[in-house]
C-alpha cells in the first residue's frame, strides 16, 4: 500500500492542510511512509456538467475517439462528467478506472428532423414518453430532451413537442427514477417544461424574469454553456437568407445573453459549468467555461464552485475533500481563485487516488 501526500490550501475554504491518499481515498491522518507528490492549491475534482462523449460533428464516433475525448477532459481536471446526450453507448467507460466518472443521459431525444443530423433519437409526440422511458433505462439517471429547435415550416425557433407531451414525458422519466434536462435556446418551450417539473435547463437564453423566479422557487438548475452561446451569431448568419425570423431571434438572444444569465444567477437559480464539448466544440476546456462564467459577472468563487464543489454536490458526489472521501482532486501551482487562468494548467490530476496527469 502506497500513501501519497499533497499539501497546500484546500478549496473551497482554503485551509492549508496535508492531504493523504490511501487506497483511493482521502485521509488527514498521517500514514507511515507517505510520499510527497505535490504542494499547491488543492481543488475537488472539476465537473463538466454538459458535454458529449462519443459525439463528433457528424454524429457517433468510435470508442477510441470517445476515449481520447474523455482523456482530454480528465487531463484538464474534469473528473466528473454529466454527459448531456450521445449517440454512442459509452457505458463501457464505467469500467475504466483511468477515465472520468460519468453520468450519462443516454441519447438526445428530438422531434423528427428537428435537430442536428445523426445526433438524436428522433420521434413524434405520441412516441416521446416511450423514448424517454427507454433512455431513462439506458442512462445513468438523466434524460436529455431537445426542447426547441428551428421549425422550417414556422421559420423560427419552436418547441419540439406540445407542452402536454413534454409534461407526460417528464412524469415518465421521474417514475423511472431519472431526472430530465432540456436544450432550450428560445422562450416558448420554457414555461411548460418548468411547470411540468423539469430538473435542469441547458443554455436557457430565452429565460424571462417570471420564469427565472419560478426556476428559483422550484430549485431547477441552469447550465448556461456560456462558451457555446458565442456561436449564436454564426447560427444567425447561416439562417439569415432563408429564415430571417430565426436569424433575428438568435441575434436577440445573443445580445441579451449576459443580462439573462446574470438575472438567473442574481435570483438564486443554481448555475453549473458545462463546456458543451463534443460535436463541434472541443473537449478539455472546463477552464474556459469557468472563465466565461466569471466574465459575465459571477465571482471567481461562484464560477469555480459551479465546476467543482457545488456541481459535485448537485450530482450526488462529495462536495469537498472530507475524511474518507474518494480522492478525486486537482492541484494547481497558484491560487485559481486569485487568477482563474491558473485552471488551464493543472500541476497534478488525481483520480480515484491515482495520479493520472
Ligand atoms: Zn450539448
Amino acid at each position: 500500500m502506497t500513501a501519497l501526500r499533497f499539501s497546500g490550501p484546500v478549496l473551497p475554504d482554503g485551509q492549508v492542510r496535508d492531504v493523504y491518499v490511501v487506497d483511493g481515498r482521502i485521509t488527514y491522518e498521517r500514514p507511515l511512509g507517505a510520499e510527497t507528490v505535490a504542494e499547491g492549491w488543492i481543488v475537488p475534482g472539476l465537473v463538466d456538467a454538459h458535454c458529449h462523449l462519443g459525439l463528433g460533428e457528424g454524429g457517433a464516433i468510435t470508442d477510441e475517439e470517445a476515449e481520447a475525448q474523455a482523456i482530454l477532459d480528465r487531463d484538464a481536471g474534469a473528473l466528473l462528467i454529466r454527459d448531456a446526450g450521445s449517440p454512442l453507448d459509452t457505458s463501457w467507460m464505467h469500467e475504466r478506472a483511468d477515465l472520468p466518472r460519468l453520468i450519462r443521459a443516454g441519447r438526445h431525444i428530438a422531434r423528427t428532423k428537428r435537430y442536428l443530423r445523426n445526433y438524436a433519437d428522433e420521434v413524434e409526440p405520441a412516441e416521446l414518453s416511450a423514448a424517454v422511458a427507454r433512455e431513462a433505462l439506458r442512462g445513468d439517471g438523466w434524460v436529455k430532451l431537445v426542447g426547441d429547435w428551428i421549425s422550417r415550416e414556422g421559420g423560427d425557433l419552436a418547441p419540439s413537442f406540445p407542452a402536454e407531451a413534454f409534461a407526460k414525458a417528464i412524469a415518465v422519466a421521474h417514475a423511472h427514477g431519472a431526472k430530465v434536462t432540456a436544450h432550450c435556446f428560445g422562450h416558448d418551450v420554457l414555461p411548460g417544461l418548468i411547470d411540468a417539473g423539469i430538473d435542469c435547463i441547458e443554455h436557457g437564453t430565452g429565460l424571462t424574469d417570471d420564469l427565472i423566479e419560478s426556476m428559483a422557487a422550484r430549485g431547477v438548475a441552469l447550465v448556461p454553456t456560456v462558451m457555446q452561446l458565442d456561436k449564436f451569431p454564426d447560427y444567425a448568419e447561416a439562417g439569415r437568407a432563408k429564415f430571417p425570423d430565426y436569424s433575428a431571434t438568435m441575434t436577440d438572444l445573443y445580445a441579451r445573453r449576459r443580462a439573462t444569465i446574470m438575472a438567473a444567477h442574481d435570483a438564486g437559480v443554481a448555475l453549473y459549468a458545462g463546456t458543451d464539448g463534443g460535436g463541434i466544440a472541443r473537449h478539455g476546456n472546463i477552464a474556459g467555461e469557468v472563465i466565461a462564467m466569471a466574465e459575465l459577472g459571477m465571482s471567481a468563487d461562484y464560477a469555480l464552485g459551479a465546476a467543482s464543489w457545488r456541481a459535485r454536490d448537485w450530482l450526488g458526489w462529495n462536495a469537498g475533500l472530507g475524511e474518507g472521501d474518494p480522492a478525486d482532486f486537482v492541484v494547481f501551482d497558484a491560487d485559481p481563485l486569485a487568477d482563474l487562468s491558473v485552471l488551464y494548467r493543472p500541476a497534478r490530476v488525481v483520480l480515484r487516488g491515482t495520479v493520472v496527469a
Side-chain angles (χ1 to χ4, degrees):
M1 181 188 76
T2 45
L4 307 177
R5 173 181 169 270
F6 300 81
S7 180
V10 180
L11 268 49
D13 67 12
Q15 193 189 337
V16 176
R17 303 188 81 169
D18 286 331
V19 178
Y20 298 98
V21 175
V22 177
D23 284 343
R25 298 199 169 260
I26 302 281
T27 181
Y28 293 97
E29 284 169 36
R30 182 182 184 158
L32 285 174
E35 170 203 341
T36 296
V37 177
E39 301 191 345
W41 279 256
I42 300 167
V43 181
L46 301 183
V47 178
D48 191 337
H50 180 142
C51 76
H52 307 274
L53 292 167
L55 180 66
E57 272 187 58
I61 54 177
T62 65
D63 286 353
E64 290 69 30
E65 289 166 326
E67 176 190 41
Q69 291 178 330
I71 289 171
L72 281 174
D73 290 326
R74 180 199 72 185
D75 291 355
L79 303 182
L80 174 60
I81 289 174
R82 188 183 63 138
D83 189 298
S86 177
L88 184 71
D89 180 357
T90 53
S91 55
W92 54 270
M93 287 190 184
H94 291 311
E95 311 303 318
R96 288 277 301 270
D98 61 325
L99 297 181
R101 301 184 196 267
L102 182 58
I103 299 170
R104 297 170 305 120
R107 284 194 82 158
H108 300 79
I109 302 169
R111 182 72 173 268
T112 316
K113 296 199 164 140
R114 292 263 293 273
Y115 196 47
L116 297 160
R117 257 183 78 161
N118 300 327
Y119 276 38
D121 182 9
E122 298 186 359
V123 300
E124 285 300 291
E127 306 155 336
L128 180 60
S129 286
V132 162
R134 193 162 60 235
E135 296 309 319
L137 293 172
R138 280 187 68 218
D140 302 321
W142 281 87
V143 170
K144 170 71 177 293
L145 306 174
V146 177
D148 62 0
W149 198 250
I150 185 171
S151 154
R152 282 173 177 76
E153 303 86 74
D156 203 345
L157 279 181
S160 308
F161 299 95
E164 313 78 65
F166 273 130
K168 204 173 145 211
I170 289 169
V172 166
H174 288 166
H176 283 77
K179 293 183 172 166
V180 183
T181 193
H183 161 113
C184 302
F185 281 167
H187 169 272
D188 295 353
V189 66
L190 290 164
L193 291 176
I194 294 168
D195 274 353
I198 198 163
D199 302 281
C200 183
I201 298 290
E202 312 296 311
H203 318 302
T205 36
L207 285 166
T208 47
D209 287 347
D210 55 327
L211 293 169
I212 284 168
E213 206 175 291
S214 171
M215 278 180 79
R218 289 167 167 271
V220 183
L222 173 63
V223 179
T225 66
V226 179
M227 293 190 294
Q228 154 74 16
L229 308 183
D230 285 334
K231 300 194 182 82
F232 280 21
D234 296 340
Y235 302 153
E237 188 53 42
R240 198 172 314 277
K242 257 174 102 179
F243 304 109
D245 291 347
Y246 168 78
S247 180
T249 297
M250 296 309 288
T251 300
D252 178 53
L253 293 171
Y254 181 70
R256 291 191 286 116
R257 71 198 186 288
R258 179 180 181 280
T260 304
I261 294 167
M262 287 310 292
H265 170 266
D266 294 347
V269 173
L271 273 63
Y272 300 105
T275 63
D276 216 352
I280 55 171
R282 75 179 179 91
H283 277 267
N285 195 20
I286 188 64
E289 182 63 16
V290 173
I291 289 167
M293 290 174 80
E295 283 173 349
L296 289 187
M298 293 167 222
S299 69
D301 185 73
Y302 189 89
L304 183 51
S308 176
W309 48 91
R310 284 193 310 102
R312 297 180 63 81
D313 186 46
W314 176 54
L315 293 171
W317 286 84
N318 53 305
L321 298 172
E323 180 72 27
D325 281 338
D328 292 5
F329 59 86
V330 189
V331 186
F332 296 95
D333 289 333
D335 181 1
L337 292 177
D339 173 5
L340 288 172
S341 74
V342 164
L343 296 171
Y344 284 119
R345 298 174 298 278
R348 287 285 193 283
V349 177
V350 179
L351 174 60
R352 299 180 177 92
T354 299
V355 180
V356 291

